[in-house]
Amino acid sequence: MELSLKPTKINVTVARISAVIVLALVSLATVDAMNPRLSSNSLKFQAINCRKHSALLTEFGGVGDGVTSNTHAFRKAIEHLSTLAADGGAQLIVPPGKWLTGSFNLTSHFTLFIDKEAKILASQNESEWPLLEVLPSYGRGRDAPGGRYSSLIFGTNLTDVVITGNNGTIDGQGSSWWENFKKGELKVTRPYVIEIMYSDQIQISDLTLINSPSWFVHPIYSRNVIIQGLTILAPVTVPNTDGINPDSCSNTRIEDCYIVSGDDCIAIKSGWDQYGIKFGMPTEDLVIRRLTCISPDSAGIALGSEMSGGIRNVRIENVIAINTQSAVRIKTARGRGGFVKDIFVRRMFLSTMKYVFWMTGDYKSHADDKFDPSALPVIKNINYRDVVAENVNMSANLAGISGDPFTDICISNVKIGLSKKPKKLQWNCTEVEGFSSDVDPPPCAPLAKASKSGGCDFPEDKLPIENVQLKSCSVEIPASTAVNCYCGDFRLALIPVVKIA
């Protein structure tokens, strides 16, 4: 069901906001109802492809006691199941239990299914995390100049991969990594929970991901990606715990996700400064819909700051952001090059925000000092429409680059309710040009020109990834490992995190 926003009143009550949050959480909890147990040991789930063969982790020596390392068991299982790729593919079932493991690599024509009562625990033994070279579009690690640790679940040059479950959990156990990062003791970039590279036909769905050492989900240099039904939870005080970061990817669909983060809930990227310019792979043809985000210090959705390969044709709709610094933010700078263009946003419901609209042309974080300051980004055709916001400090902070203004910005049908102590200057606009209609409080002069058609654009055609239909698949779990009682959904306990002034 789509969230329909027809803003007619500024004063949106706290009760209404709370109801929307609860409904969002309850709808995520219905993942269980959508994947019912057919019997004590049979489960149905939705996937891009079903598999002919199936195996349990315990068949390869897995021990779900939360103490025994299962790194060898995962690697052995996937190595064996990879031989079945040409014979209908295979799926590995992680049954109920606590499965401690280091990093492991996936294979093609493969499904990793994590049972509702299963929890994968990331090992804190660094010897179980292989080192990887820096990403070519970044030129260095995000935390340190050197290489990076492999993600907990990793894959490269794959085709047709599914990571799913009926709300099984992956716990990155990131606290020790966070402490080392804060102390400045890291010589290698922290691992992510899931990273898939140079791959095609990827699905990541119906899981709960918690406490990542850094970013949670990072598809990069990939195409035909579906990410849906994820609950992603990180302490709001931990930096760089981005939820989902599509990076130099094409034809991607992200939907029905609930994210609490210490950084951007979703960050759209495509490489860093001269390295991203040289690699030259944009993120394009991306749809994001039905996102619920809490991030007091960052954005619901960020475009950049690493956007040097370009970002184009992004469609964002039906976003709920609560207690979040900004809604959809563009971050760039001199030296980035690249472009952010043809961005379309509609139907946002926002509460307790520092900014509604935020664009930054002076985001100074650079890979190194070798960037070209004359490499200027192109920011144009950015469209926002149908926005209701409540308890906002400042409506907009829009700052382009001197000599390189951000152009064709369109804002329409927007009602912003201010906080008890709002900023005196509600619209701060420099080096921007555009249009607006039916916006309250009234926008700044550079955006005061009436929009061309009375409202901002949003494409009505569908991207190819939107037409992909998932198939009904099933897994069998032996009765000896099946758990027939599941008591509650801990995500509902997150409601007190939301602080409405």
Side-chain angles (χ1 to χ4, degrees):
M1 180 179 68
E2 287 192 346
L3 172 67
S4 179
L5 294 178
K6 296 181 179 179
T8 57
K9 297 181 180 179
I10 295 177
N11 296 321
V12 181
T13 66
V14 172
R16 180 182 172 191
I17 297 167
S18 300
V20 172
I21 299 167
V22 173
L23 286 172
L25 295 173
V26 170
S27 66
L28 281 166
T30 60
V31 168
D32 296 332
M34 293 167 62
N35 298 297
R37 294 185 182 274
L38 301 179
S39 67
S40 61
N41 61 355
S42 183
L43 297 169
K44 272 197 170 184
F45 64 97
Q46 302 293 307
I48 52 176
N49 283 305
C50 304
R51 312 302 177 193
K52 180 178 177 181
H53 304 278
S54 186
L56 284 164
L57 183 61
T58 49
E59 296 174 34
F60 300 89
V63 179
D65 60 4
V67 178
T68 304
S69 173
N70 291 280
T71 307
H72 178 70
F74 273 106
R75 293 174 181 175
K76 182 179 178 182
I78 294 169
E79 181 182 8
H80 171 75
L81 296 175
S82 68
T83 64
L84 303 171
D87 185 31
Q91 56 195 15
L92 177 63
I93 301 166
V94 182
K98 295 181 179 180
W99 309 90
L100 183 68
T101 181
S103 174
F104 59 89
N105 294 355
L106 303 181
T107 189
S108 294
H109 307 292
F110 174 79
T111 295
L112 177 67
F113 184 90
I114 304 169
D115 185 77
K116 177 171 61 176
E117 297 295 339
K119 177 182 284 189
I120 293 178
L121 301 172
S123 172
Q124 295 183 317
N125 181 351
E126 292 185 13
S127 68
E128 295 194 282
W129 299 83
L131 291 176
L132 302 177
E133 294 182 355
V134 298
L135 292 164
S137 61
Y138 281 74
R140 57 157 287 166
R142 293 290 289 112
D143 295 334
R148 60 201 185 98
Y149 288 104
S150 175
S151 296
L152 179 63
I153 299 174
F154 181 73
T156 185
N157 294 293
L158 303 179
T159 300
D160 180 19
V161 174
V162 177
I163 307 168
T164 191
N166 53 337
N167 200 35
T169 299
I170 304 174
D171 185 348
Q173 299 205 109
S175 58
S176 63
W177 300 95
W178 304 334
E179 288 302 315
N180 290 337
F181 175 74
K182 290 177 181 178
K183 293 176 183 178
E185 297 178 352
L186 290 176
K187 297 181 180 179
V188 179
T189 292
R190 289 168 286 170
Y192 308 146
V193 170
I194 299 172
E195 182 178 65
I196 306 294
M197 300 175 57
Y198 299 110
S199 296
D200 185 17
Q201 300 175 52
I202 304 300
Q203 175 188 337
I204 305 168
S205 63
D206 299 336
L207 296 168
T208 293
L209 312 179
I210 63 176
N211 300 326
S212 177
S214 185
W215 300 351
F216 278 86
V217 179
H218 186 219
I220 182 168
Y221 317 143
S222 295
R223 60 185 181 179
N224 301 317
V225 179
I226 295 176
I227 299 171
Q228 63 182 27
L230 297 185
T231 299
I232 297 177
L233 309 174
V236 296
T237 56
V238 177
N240 308 124
T241 52
D242 300 33
I244 304 168
N245 289 7
D247 198 339
S248 293
C249 288
S250 61
N251 207 31
T252 301
R253 181 171 110 201
I254 302 172
E255 58 190 3
D256 301 308
C257 293
Y258 174 80
I259 302 174
V260 179
S261 175
D263 215 302
D264 301 319
C265 289
I266 294 177
I268 306 166
K269 300 179 178 292
S270 66
W272 202 357
D273 291 351
Q274 69 272 24
Y275 305 104
I277 294 171
K278 181 179 179 180
F279 197 77
M281 183 179 288
T283 288
E284 56 189 351
D285 301 334
L286 166 65
V287 59
I288 300 171
R289 56 196 180 197
R290 298 186 298 275
L291 167 71
T292 300
C293 168
I294 298 173
S295 182
D297 294 323
S298 289
I301 300 170
L303 296 99
S305 66
E306 304 90 347
M307 41 62 67
S308 301
I311 299 171
R312 63 184 165 214
N313 196 15
V314 178
R315 304 166 184 198
I316 300 167
E317 59 183 332
N318 299 334
V319 174
I320 300 172
I322 309 294
N323 194 17
T324 297
Q325 190 178 56
S326 61
V328 177
R329 183 184 181 191
I330 296 175
K331 301 187 289 186
T332 188
R334 293 181 179 272
R336 288 288 193 269
F339 52 82
V340 177
K341 62 183 180 180
D342 304 332
I343 310 300
F344 307 95
V345 184
R346 69 179 177 184
R347 300 184 189 134
M348 292 195 297
F349 182 86
L350 315 171
S351 179
T352 311
M353 312 289 290
K354 184 175 182 179
Y355 307 108
V356 173
F357 305 108
W358 195 6
M359 299 181 188
T360 308
D362 191 27
Y363 203 85
K364 294 180 180 179
S365 174
H366 292 284
D368 52 40
D369 61 1
K370 299 177 182 178
F371 69 93
D372 180 2
S374 66
L376 298 176
V378 174
I379 313 298
K380 65 179 298 182
N381 194 23
I382 314 297
N383 298 268
Y384 304 93
R385 59 180 291 178
D386 308 335
V387 179
V388 172
E390 173 69 11
N391 198 18
V392 172
N393 288 339
M394 186 174 183
S395 297
N397 189 3
L398 310 177
I401 298 172
S402 178
D404 181 36
F406 300 171
T407 62
D408 295 328
I409 299 167
C410 184
I411 301 175
S412 69
N413 195 25
V414 174
K415 297 295 181 290
I416 300 172
L418 303 181
S419 62
K420 293 181 180 179
K421 296 181 179 180
K423 296 284 187 180
K424 291 183 179 179
L425 178 64
Q426 277 299 302
W427 289 79
N428 181 43
C429 303
T430 57
E431 300 295 337
V432 296
E433 302 171 5
F435 315 90
S436 64
S437 63
D438 192 20
V439 176
D440 186 25
C444 51
L447 302 181
K449 187 187 302 183
S451 58
K452 300 173 184 177
S453 59
C456 303
D457 293 336
F458 194 98
E460 295 304 324
D461 65 312
K462 287 189 175 182
L463 298 175
I465 194 66
E466 297 182 76
N467 294 320
V468 174
Q469 298 294 316
L470 301 184
K471 302 173 184 177
S472 181
C473 307
S474 64
V475 295
E476 298 289 333
I477 299 179
S480 60
T481 62
V483 177
N484 296 314
C485 176
Y486 177 59
C487 303
D489 189 328
F490 74 92
R491 287 170 294 177
L492 295 179
L494 284 170
I495 291 177
V497 172
V498 182
K499 298 178 181 179
I500 307 298

